[in-house]
Every structure is written in structure tokens, then in C-alpha cells.
Amino acid sequence: MSQDTFCVVFHAQIPFDRIPHQFKSGPMFLQALEDGLKKADADPSVKAVMICGENGKFSAGADIRGFSSPKTLGVALGPIVSLIESSEKPVVAAIEGVALGGGLEVALGCHYRVAHAKARMGLPEVTIGLLPGAEGTQRLPRLIGVPAALDMITTGKHIPATEALKLGLVDEIVEENTIEAAIRLANKVIGQPLGPRRLSLKPVPKLPNMEAFLQEAQVKVKRQARGFLAPELCFQAVQAATQRPFAEGVRRERELFQVLLSSGQAQALQYAFFAERAVHRWATPGGINLLFIIFDSILLLSLGLGTMGQGIVTSLVKANIPVVALEQNLEYLNKGRKAVMVLLEREAKKMEGGAQKLDFHNPARLQFTVDFNLLHDVDLVIEAVFENMALKKEIFHKLSNICKPGALLCTNTSALDIDEIASATSRPQQVIGTHFFSPAHVMRLLEIIYGRHTSPSAIATAMQLAKDMKKVGVVVGNCFGFVGNRMMFPYVEQAVFLLEEGSRPEAVDQVLEDFGFKIGPFRMSDLAGLDVGWRSRKGQGLTGPSLPAGSSARQRRGQRYSPLPDLLCERGRFGQKTGKGWYQYERAGGRTATPDPWIHGFLSQYRDTHRIETRYIDQEEILERCLFSLINEGFAILAEGIASGPEHLDVIYLNGYGWPKHRGGPMFYASTVGLPRVLAKLQKYSEAHPDVPKLRPSAFLKKLVAVGNAPLKEWMSYLSRQSPKL
């Protein structure tokens, strides 16, 4: 290191699960950084300063656990960033690994920035319900312009060093030693004027149509946010940079930061952050030590290599796991291979320029076959045929006879009984459910369902598989629909009942989309295909030829039933795939949903036929009946021991069902609404609809209210017995 350059080591954020207690809130680090800068400034022998990180990482930003205390956040870091910028000696940031959040804001305070070619940068505060609070919303647009700054700040995305260089965020990128390169640059710029390098003194680059651009951007951010405050307030902070002097913009940034810090949304997002990590920690009765199989190859068994099978194969290849895809005949195999290759080509293009490359043309990594003899040597099988119990049992009987004794047998099912499937084998301890969500190569959630005999090592292996595939694995018990779909049934049921009583598909969807769902229940049904649920209801004997003669149209097994979805299916209205469902589309396979006058007339005629008086249903009733029935089922699931805590339910809904993250998940939302209110509303709707069991308040919910509206973290302590399931 040159004797003219002073080095300040900027401590990289330690991963959350290994943060020493004394460093959790960061004041010691901030003080050390300030002391180092002042020491360098006061020493006449020091001509320049270089700031770097420890262990190959510049900084991943502030510890999320300290976000309830403003003094440990941007409000405290901002003055230090200003101190860096005001230095009369050039300060160079040497960025390795990541520079995120406060870490990037420190780099923005530096006069020059050198990054390693593999470094990534970003301001991800929006993802936890906040905004960059150390003057980042004011400096970044001055450096890279408003459009690029808005994109980074309102989305929280990380950008690679190559993109950062194009934007002007860094001055150079190097493949070599970043610290040495930063020192060379520091020595080179000694004595050069620093005024032009101080971002607080720079004007925001003008756009020829700045006002029009901002208006359009605001509309876009608001539309995409769907009630999520942080992106909208991030926009307002950047907008302030274009309209106010730097100091006034900083004051506005801090005002908006405080609004978000005190909002329930920030709390919900931070809860979601930790809940996702909590689901990795689980135990079996008796505290059994968990061991997992190290697998070298995975066989995907899929008849038809349909949409789900294609996505699973793609996910496995992306995870660098050798895969053999088995089909029943060459016609299906060739069709499936072609579809998988298209998906993999798309994924490879997304990864271009990155460190990882997809090696999917290598037969040692991916092969397609109709030869069942290849089953003999695989460590793990994922069966992904369609939802038919007889077919799955036939396949698992065959797998049990062919696969080696230690092979794990996984079934991709969304609702079927794992124990019944396992009963077809001689090794039920090796059978486990792996419920992937479609499209499987995109969706992060993996519900892992254990049966009565599933071994702890099988569960642990499935969890390891989820981790290797970069998915969020959640362990749940075996019941119809497991956790996600079981909670979804009453939600969709209430949505259809609301149509019977006087609402319209677009009205119900609008209320739930305004709440924050990306897609309402009827648009979701059209996307998934109405025939999927129809096939399931036929299998349950709720409709179709097995329904007993003389059955009431609107009653099944002593409770209310709506035949509306069945009637649409009988008319060939399966949703997007046929161009008509609850909505109409521009063509079969179209994506643009338009309210259908035919549906409105059909619903009116249906009500007349069944003598249902049409009534106006307000937004509050739509929201409460759909959401509170779903939440009520969640309490029943917890009481039965199907899931080991409310966090598991919330993670499933956040990652698999589009629940808005800024509302924390259904059980967290219930805790913020207040359990007494949830109970009172359920009692009200249950009294109005006594033939709908899913509206009757759960005994567990009643108990939690009776003990004084217990906080979410204490709920499980009020169960009268330890769960037999987990």
C-alpha cells in the first residue's frame, strides 16, 4: 500500500444467523468509520483515503434486526456519508462482493468508486418496506440520472458491476485485486479538484420532458405497488431530488423514511423476512437427529412431461443436479424434450454474463428416456403425473420394485393422501410429498408433505433438495390439500358464494387485487383452468356421474355447495385455454381478461332459477368473507398440528399464493387486524350462512381471543397438547 493512502476498512455485514450481539445495531461500526475518517483528515501525511470491506465484501448494509431503532439506520449513517464527501482528500471506494443499502450509500459519498467485475450493487430497502435513509435517494439520481435511479430504488434490484459501469455508478471495474486498483486510482487523483466529484453539489441531469416522465413513472409505480407504501414513497423521495436543493431533499427523504419506519407495512415485511428463515428450523417428535442423503442423480418420472414436469426438470438442471427424465413412450418423450429445451434456452439467456452456465446439452447432466431400467441407480425420484390416485399408486408400486432400497420416492401432488400413495410400496418410510407450484422453474415455494411413516432423514433430504434448488421448502403434515390448498378452498368457496348472492367476478377480483393480490380468485381460476378443479370435484363425488340421483343442486353432504363452476365447465368454459371462463379473452390461450356480459346474464338467470334475491355486496364483506374464512382454516390447521407455527402458513402464502408481502401473510394480517375482530366477523357471517361450516370460528381462534388476544409469537403455547404431527 502506498504510504500516501490511508485505508479505512468498512466492515461487511455478517450473515444474520452469525451476527455477534454487540454488532447487531451497528453503532460501534459507525463510530469506528467516523473515527477513521477524522484521523485520516487530520494527518497531513495522508494524501488520500481508500475504503474497502472485510473478507471480500464491501457491505451488505444495515442489520435488519436494528430497523426499529432510527439511530442505527440511515439517519445516523447520513452524516457520516456527508463527512466522507466533504473530505479535502480524495476518498475511493474499493467495492468487492456486494455494496447494498447503506453500503452503497457510503460508496456514493466517496469521490471515486472502483468495483470488482463480479461485484453487485443495489439499494434494496424497499423490499423491507423502507427507503434508502442515508441520502441515497438524493445522491443516486444526481450520479446516474432519474430513470435509472428510480428503477433501482423503487424495485430494490441488485445490478452487476458491468451495468453499474454503463450507468456511471462506478468509475472502473477490474478483474484483478480491487484494493490495489483503488489505491492506484487514489494516488493518481491526489491534488485534483474534488468539487465536481461531490454528488451533493451536482445538479440532477435534466430530461427534456422531466415532468411528463415523472407523472408517467408515478402512475406506473402506484399501479405496480397495489397499496404497498414503500415504492410510492421511494418515488416521492427521488422526485424531491429533482425539485429541491440537496439539503431540502435530504430533509424530505428523512420525513418519508420516518413515515415508513412507523408503518405497519415495514413491520410486516421484516416479519416475512425472518419467517422465511424460520421455516428452515423444524424438529420431529423426540428431537430426532436429522441426517440427509447426498444424492448424485435425480430421476423425474412424468407421464407426458406436462407443464409441471417440464418446470421441475428445468429447476433441477438450473440447480446443477443430474437428471433423467422418463416418459412412457417416444411421442410424449419427444414432445416433452422439446418443451424443456425451450425453457432451458430461455433460462440460459437470462444467465448470460453471469458466473453460472447451464450445461443442459451434456447427456451426463440431462437425458430423456423411456427405459425404466435407468431407475435402478438413481438416488431420488420425483413423480409428476396428473392427480389420479390409482395411477400414482400403480407407479409407486412399480418404483418400489425397481429402485434401490435407499432411493427417496417423491410425489408431486397438490392434495392427494401421501399415506395412501405410500401404501402401494414396500418402503413407506421413503415416500414423501413434494408439492411444486406452477410454473415450477419460477415459483419459489415447495410444500414438503410427510406421511405417517415418512422417516426424518427423508424429510431432511427433501428440505436439502429445496435448498439446492433455491426454493423455500416448508414442511407440513398430510391432509387433503395440505396447507396452501386447504386454506385456499374456503377462500374460493366464499368468492363463488358471493356471485350467487349478487356480486360479479370482476367486482370480487377488484377488491382482492386492491388489497394487494396480483390476481383475484376468478382471474386465478381462469389462468389455472376451471377443468382442474372440476376433475377434482368429480373424483370426490361432488359432481358428475357419481353424484347420487336426486341430489340438491346447492347442497352436498349437508352443507352449502355452488354448482356455478361445474356449470361453466359443462359449457366448455375452462378459462384462458378456451378463451372463455369467468371472463372472456381475445382468443383461446389469450391473457387479457374482459368482463363477459354472458356471465352477467348467466348469473342473473341462475339466481332466478334458484330463487336467490340479488343484493348489493359491499367491498368490506367481500374482503372479510374471503380472507377471514381462509385465516379461520389456518387456525384449524395449527390446532391439528398440520403446520408447526403461523410463520409456516404465512411463508406458504407469501411464496406460493401471491399474498401481498407488505401485509405479512394471512396469520400475521389476522394479528394486526386483531383476533377479536376476526372472531366477531366470522360469527356474524356464520350466523347469516349457517350451512357453511368454514365460516364457523375455529375453537383455537376462540381460545386465543379468550386468553386476551395473544400475540402471534405466543399462539402455539396455548395449544392444549403438543402436536402429534410435527
Side-chain angles (χ1 to χ4, degrees):
M1 182 182 294
S2 166
Q3 61 183 1
D4 294 326
T5 305
F6 185 86
C7 174
V8 177
V9 178
F10 184 49
H11 293 276
Q13 178 64 56
I14 302 167
F16 297 118
D17 58 345
R18 288 183 280 129
I19 298 170
H21 179 74
Q22 64 269 32
F23 293 121
K24 281 184 179 179
S25 58
M28 293 176 66
F29 147 69
L30 294 178
Q31 189 62 55
L33 180 58
E34 184 177 0
D35 292 346
L37 290 163
K38 288 180 177 178
K39 181 179 177 182
D41 194 49
D43 188 341
S45 69
V46 173
K47 305 301 181 186
V49 178
M50 185 272 295
I51 299 179
C52 64
E54 277 188 324
N55 303 321
K57 291 182 181 178
F58 189 72
S59 174
D63 175 14
I64 191 173
R65 296 180 201 272
F67 281 7
S68 57
S69 173
K71 290 198 170 184
T72 66
L73 289 171
V75 177
L77 182 59
I80 295 176
V81 176
S82 294
L83 181 67
I84 296 170
E85 186 185 81
S86 64
S87 172
E88 294 301 326
K89 300 168 182 180
V91 183
V92 182
I95 301 172
E96 294 181 307
V98 293
L100 302 175
L104 182 57
E105 287 175 300
V106 166
L108 290 171
C110 298
H111 306 117
Y112 298 89
R113 287 158 292 279
V114 177
H116 191 274
K118 292 183 179 179
R120 292 179 297 118
M121 284 145 268
L123 293 172
E125 287 85 349
V126 69
T127 62
I128 49 167
L130 296 172
L131 56 75
E135 306 173 4
T137 65
Q138 304 305 297
R139 282 194 175 84
L140 189 63
R142 285 173 162 82
L143 179 62
I144 66 173
V146 174
L150 265 180
D151 183 41
M152 284 184 66
I153 294 171
T154 61
T155 65
K157 74 180 188 180
H158 302 178
I159 63 169
T162 49
E163 185 178 345
L165 182 65
K166 290 176 186 175
L167 291 173
L169 179 52
V170 297
D171 298 288
E172 62 177 278
I173 59 175
V174 294
E175 297 277 358
E176 59 196 88
N177 188 301
T178 313
I179 292 173
E180 290 180 3
I183 292 170
R184 283 198 302 271
L185 177 60
N187 286 321
K188 181 180 176 183
V189 299
I190 290 171
Q192 293 186 12
L194 294 174
R197 306 297 304 185
R198 293 186 174 116
L199 296 180
S200 65
L201 303 180
K202 286 174 65 77
V204 173
K206 297 287 185 185
L207 289 175
N209 55 342
M210 181 69 84
E211 284 305 311
F213 170 80
L214 287 173
Q215 287 177 5
E216 185 178 330
Q218 186 173 28
V219 170
K220 180 182 177 183
V221 168
K222 192 175 182 67
R223 183 177 65 247
Q224 293 178 341
R226 294 186 180 277
F228 180 20
L229 283 176
E232 296 188 49
L233 269 61
C234 282
F235 170 85
Q236 290 178 31
V238 174
Q239 184 181 41
T242 70
Q243 298 171 342
R244 307 183 185 194
F246 184 82
E248 288 185 25
V250 168
R251 282 195 290 274
R252 180 59 175 155
E253 176 190 88
R254 291 181 181 176
E255 289 171 3
L256 295 169
F257 184 92
Q258 291 296 338
V259 170
L260 290 173
L261 189 63
S262 60
S263 76
Q265 293 192 3
Q267 184 186 7
L269 283 152
Q270 290 157 38
Y271 162 84
F273 179 90
F274 289 111
E276 188 169 305
R277 281 142 188 83
V279 299
H280 297 298
R281 298 188 294 272
W282 57 276
T284 56
I288 296 172
N289 199 19
L290 300 177
L291 302 172
F292 56 82
I293 302 164
I294 304 298
F295 42 78
D296 298 314
S297 58
I298 288 180
L299 172 75
L300 171 84
L301 172 62
S302 179
L303 299 182
L305 268 173
T307 302
M308 187 61 77
Q310 295 159 19
I312 295 172
V313 170
T314 302
S315 294
L316 292 167
V317 173
K318 284 175 65 179
N320 201 31
I321 298 170
V323 188
V324 181
L326 179 70
E327 249 302 353
Q328 64 174 338
N329 62 47
L330 283 173
E331 180 187 350
Y332 289 151
L333 185 77
N334 291 332
K335 183 179 177 183
R337 179 196 283 120
K338 183 178 179 181
V340 168
M341 287 302 180
V342 168
L343 289 177
L344 287 169
E345 291 287 357
R346 287 178 190 162
E347 294 300 310
K349 284 183 180 178
K350 292 178 189 176
M351 295 163 66
E352 278 179 5
Q356 184 186 356
K357 288 183 170 52
L358 285 182
D359 185 22
F360 59 94
H361 291 295
N362 181 352
R365 310 303 301 173
L366 171 63
Q367 57 180 309
F368 296 85
T369 185
V370 292
D371 183 4
F372 263 80
N373 289 324
L374 289 177
L375 282 164
H376 291 291
D377 298 321
V378 298
D379 296 313
L380 191 150
V381 178
I382 301 174
E383 164 273 311
V385 302
F386 63 86
E387 293 281 90
N388 180 282
M389 180 59 80
L391 178 59
K392 285 183 182 283
K393 288 174 75 172
E394 178 187 335
I395 288 171
F396 270 74
H397 178 71
K398 190 171 186 177
L399 292 175
S400 181
N401 291 331
I402 296 176
C403 294
K404 63 185 180 183
L408 188 64
L409 309 182
C410 305
T411 176
N412 175 61
T413 174
S414 60
L416 297 180
D417 186 343
I418 303 301
D419 288 326
E420 186 174 349
I421 294 171
S423 71
T425 77
S426 59
R427 55 176 92 173
Q429 73 280 3
Q430 293 296 101
V431 176
I432 194 165
T434 48
H435 178 202
F436 288 85
F437 285 70
S438 186
H441 63 293
V442 175
M443 297 293 285
R444 295 181 69 221
L445 181 64
L446 178 60
E447 257 187 330
I448 295 169
I449 310 100
Y450 59 94
R452 188 181 300 112
H453 303 290
T454 306
S455 69
S457 64
I459 302 173
T461 303
M463 284 291 279
Q464 181 64 33
L465 174 64
K467 183 178 179 181
D468 290 347
M469 296 174 76
K470 294 183 170 57
K471 293 190 181 294
V472 180
V474 184
V475 178
V476 301
N478 181 32
C479 63
F480 185 73
F482 316 130
V483 166
N485 283 341
R486 177 172 162 179
M487 290 172 70
M488 182 57 59
F489 293 145
Y491 168 86
V492 173
E493 180 182 66
Q494 285 302 312
V496 177
F497 288 164
L498 288 162
L499 297 193
E500 286 193 332
E501 295 163 31
S503 197
R504 290 180 170 183
E506 59 271 23
V508 175
D509 280 351
Q510 189 64 56
V511 169
L512 290 155
E513 288 167 13
D514 288 346
F515 176 77
F517 281 98
K518 290 184 179 178
I519 186 170
F522 294 107
R523 287 179 61 208
M524 178 181 68
S525 180
D526 275 0
L527 176 63
L530 277 74
D531 53 321
V532 176
W534 192 37
R535 187 163 55 240
S536 175
R537 291 189 298 277
K538 283 180 178 178
Q540 297 172 64
L542 295 172
T543 190
S546 62
L547 184 68
S551 297
S552 169
R554 300 180 59 236
Q555 286 283 319
R556 295 290 185 275
R557 299 165 189 169
Q559 61 191 59
R560 183 173 171 184
Y561 178 85
S562 176
L564 280 172
D566 304 332
L567 295 172
L568 293 191
C569 288
E570 288 170 8
R571 288 163 172 77
R573 297 179 70 103
F574 295 159
Q576 289 185 7
K577 65 180 71 175
T578 58
K580 291 181 179 179
W582 295 108
Y583 293 89
Q584 58 183 351
Y585 299 84
E586 66 273 24
R587 54 181 170 75
R591 296 295 181 90
T592 306
T594 305
D596 191 345
W598 183 91
I599 283 285
H600 301 158
F602 171 73
L603 290 173
S604 179
Q605 186 179 34
Y606 174 88
R607 294 183 201 117
D608 289 343
T609 300
H610 294 283
R611 298 178 182 177
I612 303 170
E613 185 177 344
T614 301
R615 65 182 181 88
Y616 170 73
I617 303 173
D618 62 24
Q619 295 180 358
E620 182 180 44
E621 181 177 350
I622 292 172
L623 191 66
E624 290 176 345
R625 281 177 60 181
C626 290
L627 297 189
F628 289 178
S629 60
L630 180 153
I631 289 165
N632 192 44
E633 193 68 21
F635 281 111
I637 285 169
L638 292 176
E640 293 171 24
I642 298 297
S644 59
E647 304 90 350
H648 290 62
L649 276 55
D650 287 336
V651 168
I652 285 171
Y653 263 78
L654 289 168
N655 288 283
Y657 292 87
W659 185 279
K661 265 200 169 179
H662 63 276
R663 298 195 186 271
M667 309 318 285
F668 179 88
Y669 175 70
S671 73
T672 60
V673 167
L675 300 191
R677 181 185 168 194
V678 175
L679 175 59
K681 291 290 187 172
L682 283 168
Q683 287 172 331
K684 171 188 170 183
Y685 295 127
S686 181
E687 288 168 7
H689 306 281
D691 56 350
V692 183
K694 296 301 183 183
L695 287 175
R696 294 173 198 155
S698 155
F700 186 32
L701 169 59
K702 289 180 179 179
K703 182 172 186 176
L704 291 173
V705 173
V707 298
N709 191 25
L712 181 142
K713 63 183 179 182
E714 296 177 11
W715 286 0
M716 301 308 288
S717 68
Y718 288 97
L719 283 175
S720 57
R721 55 181 171 75
Q722 287 296 315
S723 162
K725 307 280 184 171
L726 275 175

